[in-house]
């Protein structure tokens, strides 16, 4: 799965747009995006890639994942697509 902030992928052409995928993560994104529920949503639609990914963050005073009083919440949005090599 290719996940990118750009609207195209060098060496590939987009053959089909499968819709917007969006997810809220309450954990660090770094190194975890490839295995996230966000990517799994795109895979269930038959996507090979997600383009135009945008990530915004905020802090939350409720954390189910660690003992710290604050944790970062990430809103991740992108477009699931089918691609093929040029």
């Amino acid at each position: 799965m290719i996940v990118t902030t750009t609207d195209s992928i060098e060496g590939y052409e987009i053959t089909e747009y499968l819709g917007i995928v969006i997810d809220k993560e309450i954990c660090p994104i770094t190194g975890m995006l490839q295995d996230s529920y966000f990517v799994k949503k795109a895979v269930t639609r038959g996507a090979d890639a997600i383009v135009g990914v945008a990530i915004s963050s905020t802090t939350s005073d409720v954390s189910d994942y660690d003992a710290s009083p604050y944790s970062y919440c990430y809103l991740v949005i992108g477009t699931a697509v089918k691609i093929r090599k040029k």
Side-chain angles (χ1 to χ4, degrees), residues 13-85:
E13 65 178 317
I14 294 173
T15 59
E16 187 176 353
Y17 291 87
L18 303 171
I20 293 172
V21 286
I22 188 168
D23 194 24
K24 181 174 66 172
E25 305 275 342
I26 307 177
C27 59
I29 287 291
T30 308
M32 296 180 66
L33 194 55
Q34 288 292 336
D35 297 323
S36 73
Y37 188 62
F38 172 73
V39 170
K40 290 176 185 171
K41 285 180 177 180
V43 169
T44 60
R45 293 183 187 189
D48 303 312
I50 306 171
V51 296
V53 174
I55 302 171
S56 65
S57 66
T58 186
T59 57
S60 171
D61 60 357
V62 176
S63 176
D64 294 332
Y65 297 96
D66 61 39
S68 66
Y70 293 94
S71 94
Y72 284 98
C73 298
Y74 296 91
L75 180 64
V76 186
I77 187 168
T79 303
V81 296
K82 300 275 294 170
I83 57 173
R84 72 170 165 231
K85 282 198 176 258

